[in-house]
Amino acid sequence: MNTVLITGTTSGIGKAFAEKFANAGNNIILVSRNKSKLQQQQIYLQSHYHVSVKYISCDLSEVHAANVIMDKISSMGLSVDFLINNAGFNEAGYFIDTSLEKELDMIQVHIKALTALTKLVLPGMIARRYGHILNVGSTGSYMPCPCDAVYAATKSYVLSFSNGLYQELKGTGVTVTCLCPGATETLFADKADISNTLLFKLFVMQPETVAAIGYKNLLKGKRTVTAGLYNKLLVLSAKLLPTAIINPIAQWMVRS
Ligand SMILES: NC(=O)c1ccc[n+]([C@@H]2O[C@H](COP(=O)([O-])OP(=O)(O)OC[C@H]3O[C@@H](n4cnc5c(N)ncnc54)[C@H](OP(=O)(O)O)[C@@H]3O)[C@@H](O)[C@H]2O)c1
């Protein structure tokens, strides 16, 4: 039975991932900040799917969060077979107006905690010649996003890091997949006050669908996967068109 470590499980895509992995008979370690939601999720998943579910209440914007998580996991006598680096949030708006504190926290969560967790689980996976890592990027990984500049930059890191690591790990039995969702109906847009933008009106996917796409491609050991046809077309346009054209379109979608 595999043990799956998932960050950001109390809502949205991470919650759907937890359900998907539990349904497939895996043991789960849930990580988020909200302890009471984690406790409820543990009870629900254990009683519905009859798998072992542990939780670690932790703020991934804290500098040593990844070490704290991995120390707790080794004191539980567990090792990680699957890592889903999913936790994240947005701070949208003109850079001159946005909160620097939130943006630095975002860099810590999306980049530093994701990198540290990956670094800490890899030696065990490589020694066992078995493991899958999935990093949640975004369609924003493929293009600069005016009025969401820091968010898109962090997600570009996630994609670039995952792509590089994928190649390094060939032949080790360990794979890294970068899942790039577009607008998805979770708490994400409300928290960032962007649910009324064109981006979230045009084409919005359900978190269960996004997690199912990620799950399937993770098991296949795919390098990258963009969720949904509309998002695939968006990413293709961003690859083909110059930034001078993509920039105003991206801004229009986040500000309209
Ligand atoms: N929804 C979209 O349109 C969309 C599009 C592209 C990419 N994504 C990416 O998908 C991932 C999941 O987002 P979502 O849409 O499912 O959003 P969500 O519903 O807001 O869920 C985010 C999860 O991350 C956790 N989290 C946030 N900050 C954290 C922190 N500092 N420490 C620990 N946990 C933290 C939250 O739990 P607590 O608050 O309990 O800590 C929650 O469980 C993110 O990486 C996001 O960037 C989302």
Side-chain angles (χ1 to χ4, degrees), residues 90-93 187-197 200 254-255:
N90 201 345
E91 166 69 356
L187 300 180
F188 175 88
D190 276 346
K191 287 180 196 166
D193 201 18
I194 51 172
S195 37
N196 286 324
T197 60
F200 280 86
V254 181
R255 296 319 289 169

Side-chain angles (χ1 to χ4, degrees), residues 8 10-11 13 33-34 59-60 86 151 155 182 184 186 191:
T10 52
S11 68
I13 298 168
R33 288 166 299 184
N34 190 316
D59 185 344
L60 289 165
N86 163 77
Y151 177 79
K155 293 298 186 177
T184 308
T186 66
K191 287 180 196 166

Side-chain angles (χ1 to χ4, degrees), residues 140-162:
S141 299
Y142 289 93
M143 64 196 97
C145 295
C147 297
D148 214 2
V150 176
Y151 177 79
T154 64
K155 293 298 186 177
S156 289
Y157 172 90
V158 174
L159 177 65
S160 176
F161 168 65
S162 306

Side-chain angles (χ1 to χ4, degrees), residues 9 32 34 46 51 59 83 90-91 107 142 144 154-155 157 199 213 230:
T9 58
S32 297
N34 190 316
Q46 285 188 156
V51 292
D59 185 344
L83 167 64
N90 201 345
E91 166 69 356
I107 289 168
Y142 289 93
T154 64
K155 293 298 186 177
Y157 172 90
L199 183 65
I213 292 168
Y230 170 86

Side-chain angles (χ1 to χ4, degrees), residues 79-81 119-131 174:
S79 51
V80 176
D81 302 299
K119 181 78 106 185
L120 295 172
V121 299
L122 262 182
M125 288 181 173
I126 289 172
R128 294 187 295 278
R129 294 197 59 79
Y130 180 70
V174 183

Side-chain angles (χ1 to χ4, degrees), residues 84-101:
I84 312 296
N85 275 312
N86 163 77
F89 63 97
N90 201 345
E91 166 69 356
Y94 287 92
F95 182 67
I96 192 76
D97 300 325
T98 47
S99 155
L100 177 61
E101 194 186 345

Side-chain angles (χ1 to χ4, degrees), residues 100-139:
L100 177 61
E101 194 186 345
K102 284 187 188 164
E103 285 163 340
L104 295 179
D105 280 353
M106 195 194 297
I107 289 168
Q108 189 72 37
V109 175
H110 294 185
I111 297 182
K112 293 191 173 182
L114 176 146
T115 306
L117 280 174
T118 305
K119 181 78 106 185
L120 295 172
V121 299
L122 262 182
M125 288 181 173
I126 289 172
R128 294 187 295 278
R129 294 197 59 79
Y130 180 70
H132 292 288
I133 298 170
L134 182 139
N135 294 327
V136 178
S138 161
T139 48

